[in-house]
Amino acid sequence: MSVALDKRWLALYMLCAGELMIVLDTTVVNVALPSIQASLGFSEAALVWVVNAYMLTYGGFLLLGGRLGDLYGRRRLFLVGITLFTLASVACGMSSSQVVLVTARAVQGLGGALVSAIALSLIMNIFSEPGERAKAMGIYGFVCAGGGSLGVLLGGMLTSALSWHWVFLVNVPIGIAVYSFCASLLQADAGRTRERLDVWGALTVTASLMLAVYGIVDGNRAGWRSAQTLGLLAGAVALLAIFLLIESRIAHPLMPLRLFRVRSVTAANILGALWAAAMFGCFFLSALYMQLVLGYDPLQVGLAFLPSNVIMAAFSIGWSAKVVMRYGLRLPIVVGMVLTTVGLALFALAPVRGDFWLHVLPGMLLIGVGCGMALNPVMLAAMNDVAPEESGLASGVVNTAFMMGGALGLAVLVSLAAARSAGVQTPEALTSGYHAAFVVSAIFALVAAIVAAWLPRAPAATPKEAEWATP
C-alpha cells in the first residue's frame, strides 16, 4: 500500500530536516577547525572549546528539554529550539572573535538539545499505527545514522569551496524552512502546565550532565587521573545521586523512575549508549586513519563514507521497517550489532599501506548494514512502551544515552589510541593505536548485541500493519 504524501509525512520530513541540522553540526565543524584556528587566532588549547561549548550545553540540557516539551507543549519548545539554533548559527557564521564564536556555539547546543529531545517524541505521537511508525522511525534513524558521516563530506566541500563561515551559515535557510513548515503543520499541544516543574530535579540533573560532559570531553587534555577530571566526574555522580533521591520523593518528578521499570526502555537506553560509543569512535578513528595514514584529503574521506550511508539509507528508509514488522525488535538489533562488530574488527586489521577496496570498503559495508538494521528498532524500543504524555521525557532520556555514550566512548577510544601510539606520529605508530581502539569499539558493539537479547520479543505484525512497512 502506498502512503500518500499528507501533512503528517511532510511534517516528518521537516522534523527530520531539523534533526539533520543538529546531527550535521556535531561533525561538520571538525573539518573546519584548522581554518577557524588560522582565521581567529585560537591556540591549540582554546580551539577545543569550539567543539566543547556545543557539546556541554547540548548534553546538559537534553533531559530537561524533553520534559519541558511534555509540560509546556512540544510544538512550542521545538520551534523555540529551531529559532535558537538558527540565530546562533548566524552568530557563529558572522563571528570575528573567539569569544563570540564560543558563546554562539553554546547557544547552538542549547537549541540543538531542545530540537533533538522533542523531535523524536513528536514523531512518535504523529504516527501511532505500528507500520507507519516503523517506517517513520526508519527515516528518522537514517538521518541520525548518516548525518554524522555526511557532515565530514559537507564540511570538506564548504571549507574548500567557500570558507569556514559557511559550515554555520548553511544552517540558516534550512532553519527558516523548518520553522515555517513546522509552524503550520504541527498541531499545538497544551502540555501539562498544571504540573509544576521539578526545579531542584532540573538543576541537579542538568548540572550533573554538564559536569560529566565537561569531564569527558576535556579528559584527554587534563589527564584522566588528574584532580580536575576525577573531581568533575565525582561531582557529576554526587549530583546524579541527589537527583535520584529527589525524584523518588516528590509528587511530580522531572523523570519518573517508574520509566525504567519497563524492561525494553532500560535495555534500549543501554543499547543506545553502547551503539553510540562504538559508532562515534568508528567515524572519528576511521576518518583519522584514512587522512593521517592513507593520505586522503577531507573530501576523499567524506566520499569513502558514502557506501555506508547509501546502505544505511536503504535499510533505514525501507528494509528496516519491513524487518521490524516481520521479526520484531530483538532479532534485527542482535544481527545488526553482530555485523557492526565484524565491520569494526576488519578495521582493526587494516594495514599501514591499506587499499580502499580491500581494507576500508568491506568494513564500511558491514557497518552500514548493521547500523541501518539496528538503529530504528533501538529507538522504537526506547519509546514504544512509554505513555504519550511522557514521550518527551523518554525522547530526552534516549538522546542523552546516545550523547553520553558517544562522548564517553569517543574519549576512551581516542585516549587508548594515543596511549598505544605513545605520541609518535608515524603511520606505523598511528595504525597501532587505531587498531587497539577499533578492537575496543568492536567489543562495545558485541556487548550491545548481548544486551539486545534481553529485550522482550515483540508480537508479529498483522498483514495490514506489514503493508505499511513496504517502501
Side-chain angles (χ1 to χ4, degrees):
M1 180 183 295
S2 61
V3 178
L5 185 62
D6 59 17
K7 288 185 177 181
R8 294 177 306 147
W9 292 97
L10 183 56
L12 169 68
Y13 301 144
M14 289 299 103
L15 290 170
C16 287
E19 180 64 18
L20 180 62
M21 285 198 306
I22 312 305
V23 175
L24 283 174
D25 216 66
T26 60
T27 55
V28 71
V29 177
N30 291 336
V31 179
L33 286 176
S35 299
I36 294 173
Q37 182 179 22
S39 175
L40 299 183
F42 277 97
S43 66
E44 289 288 342
L47 184 64
V48 72
W49 280 101
V50 177
V51 175
N52 286 0
Y54 178 87
M55 296 294 287
L56 191 62
T57 53
Y58 180 79
F61 284 92
L62 273 170
L63 187 57
L64 179 58
R67 194 54 169 169
L68 288 174
D70 288 338
L71 295 180
Y72 301 109
R74 299 182 191 94
R75 175 183 178 274
R76 179 186 303 165
L77 266 294
F78 180 84
L79 295 177
V80 168
I82 288 292
T83 301
L84 281 175
F85 189 87
T86 304
L87 291 177
S89 296
V90 174
C92 288
M94 302 298 292
S95 295
S96 58
S97 73
Q98 297 179 17
V99 173
V100 172
L101 178 58
V102 172
T103 303
R105 286 286 286 163
V107 178
Q108 257 194 326
L110 176 58
L114 291 174
V115 171
S116 290
I118 296 169
L120 184 56
S121 65
L122 283 168
I123 293 171
M124 295 295 287
N125 284 305
I126 290 172
F127 299 95
S128 57
E129 194 278 326
E132 289 182 302
R133 178 176 284 184
K135 186 173 182 180
M137 289 298 293
I139 296 171
Y140 180 82
F142 165 64
V143 169
C144 294
S149 51
L150 179 61
V152 178
L153 175 61
L154 184 62
M157 293 174 61
L158 291 173
T159 305
S160 300
L162 298 170
S163 72
W164 67 265
H165 299 275
W166 285 95
V167 301
F168 301 109
L169 295 177
V170 71
N171 293 325
V172 178
I174 302 174
I176 293 173
V178 170
Y179 184 98
S180 301
F181 278 99
C182 287
S184 60
L185 290 171
L186 297 177
Q187 294 182 354
D189 51 321
R192 306 207 312 268
T193 53
R194 293 181 180 179
E195 288 188 17
R196 295 180 60 185
L197 177 65
D198 173 15
V199 175
W200 287 109
L203 289 174
T204 52
V205 74
T206 301
S208 173
L209 290 172
M210 292 183 75
L211 286 179
V213 172
Y214 181 60
I216 291 168
V217 299
D218 203 44
N220 286 327
R221 184 199 64 79
W224 287 99
R225 296 181 181 179
S226 67
Q228 173 187 304
T229 302
L230 294 177
L232 287 169
L233 295 179
V237 171
L239 285 170
L240 180 61
I242 295 171
F243 168 71
L244 294 175
L245 181 63
I246 293 171
E247 300 309 281
S248 67
R249 296 191 173 187
I250 65 173
H252 300 292
L254 175 71
M255 187 179 74
L257 299 183
R258 65 179 180 275
L259 185 69
F260 295 99
R261 296 173 188 166
V262 182
R263 189 173 70 175
S264 60
V265 172
T266 302
N269 278 281
I270 296 172
L271 276 169
L274 290 168
W275 184 92
M279 297 318 303
F280 275 42
C282 167
F283 291 139
F284 187 83
L285 294 168
S286 59
L288 289 179
Y289 168 72
M290 287 184 279
Q291 197 163 11
L292 299 181
V293 177
L294 301 184
Y296 292 6
D297 61 35
L299 184 58
Q300 288 175 315
V301 172
L303 290 172
F305 281 109
L306 280 182
S308 179
N309 286 337
V310 170
I311 293 175
M312 285 184 198
F315 267 94
S316 296
I317 294 175
W319 297 342
S320 179
K322 293 178 68 174
V323 171
V324 167
M325 295 307 297
R326 181 164 183 177
Y327 299 105
L329 301 176
R330 185 168 61 187
L331 182 62
I333 298 175
V334 172
V335 174
M337 287 294 96
V338 169
L339 291 175
T340 301
T341 301
V342 177
L344 291 168
L346 290 180
F347 271 109
L349 300 174
V352 174
R353 294 175 179 82
D355 178 79
F356 173 78
W357 300 102
L358 292 178
H359 305 111
V360 176
L361 183 61
M364 285 289 185
L365 293 178
L366 285 171
I367 290 169
V369 174
C371 290
M373 184 181 295
L375 183 59
N376 177 13
V378 168
M379 291 189 295
L380 280 169
M383 301 287 294
N384 255 1
D385 297 325
V386 176
E389 62 271 15
E390 292 181 343
S391 60
L393 169 64
S395 174
V397 170
V398 71
N399 275 289
T400 301
F402 270 87
M403 188 272 163
M404 295 301 293
L408 180 58
L410 180 58
V412 169
L413 294 173
V414 169
S415 295
L416 177 62
R420 183 69 178 268
S421 63
V424 180
Q425 295 297 303
T426 63
E428 291 77 11
L430 290 172
T431 302
S432 176
Y434 298 151
H435 282 177
F438 276 119
V439 168
V440 176
S441 184
I443 292 173
F444 287 154
L446 182 60
V447 174
I450 296 171
V451 173
W454 189 43
L455 284 169
R457 182 186 297 274
T462 65
K464 180 180 180 180
E465 291 170 348
E467 289 180 2
W468 287 102
T470 304

